[in-house]
Amino acid sequence: QVQLVESGGGLVQAGGSVRLSCAASGSIANVNVMAWYRQIQGNRRQMVAGISTSGTSNYADSVKGRFTVSRDNAKSMTYLQMDSLKPEDTGVYYCHARGIGFEWWGQGTQVTVSS
């Protein structure tokens, strides 16, 4: 089992930026998709951004043009650069790893955007 630990969350005003980091305790070379999810109603989570081993990235429509996801397999790190933040971006963000026959979740990090 590989542990995922997020960091970088905090308070930021609207229009500002923050970079979230996801550190994996083991290799992510076999992880097909590293992604970031935001918690919504109840315990449901919505994918915000994801990046595959091929380098293809996908974003939720609400964050396109504002967020950038990247990964560094050599460092077992995944990042989410969040720019032009809006109050509606507020929430708990989770790092997620998906491979063949497995998936891992981080513990989440809070991002609060003030207006």
Side-chain angles (χ1 to χ4, degrees):
Q1 178 68 37
V2 172
Q3 301 294 317
L4 302 176
V5 180
E6 302 95 331
S7 62
L11 298 172
V12 61
Q13 68 178 0
S17 298
V18 68
R19 187 180 75 161
L20 304 184
S21 298
C22 174
S25 63
S27 175
I28 61 170
N30 64 338
V31 177
N32 296 90
V33 179
M34 294 297 302
W36 291 92
Y37 285 73
R38 185 174 72 88
Q39 188 175 47
I40 52 178
Q41 293 89 340
N43 64 351
R44 293 188 295 117
R45 298 169 185 177
Q46 178 183 44
M47 188 178 72
V48 174
I51 183 167
S52 71
T53 53
S54 68
T56 300
S57 58
N58 295 101
Y59 299 93
D61 287 343
S62 61
V63 308
K64 286 181 179 177
R66 299 189 297 119
F67 292 5
T68 304
V69 63
S70 60
R71 65 191 287 178
D72 186 336
N73 289 347
K75 297 180 179 179
S76 295
M77 295 291 293
T78 307
Y79 306 97
L80 183 66
Q81 178 67 41
M82 307 166 72
D83 298 323
S84 301
L85 284 163
K86 303 175 180 180
E88 50 262 46
D89 295 322
T90 294
V92 178
Y93 286 77
Y94 296 86
C95 182
H96 178 257
R98 176 174 61 81
I100 300 175
F102 69 88
E103 65 174 342
W104 309 320
W105 288 98
Q107 84 289 349
T109 185
Q110 175 73 38
V111 175
T112 302
V113 183
S114 64
S115 59

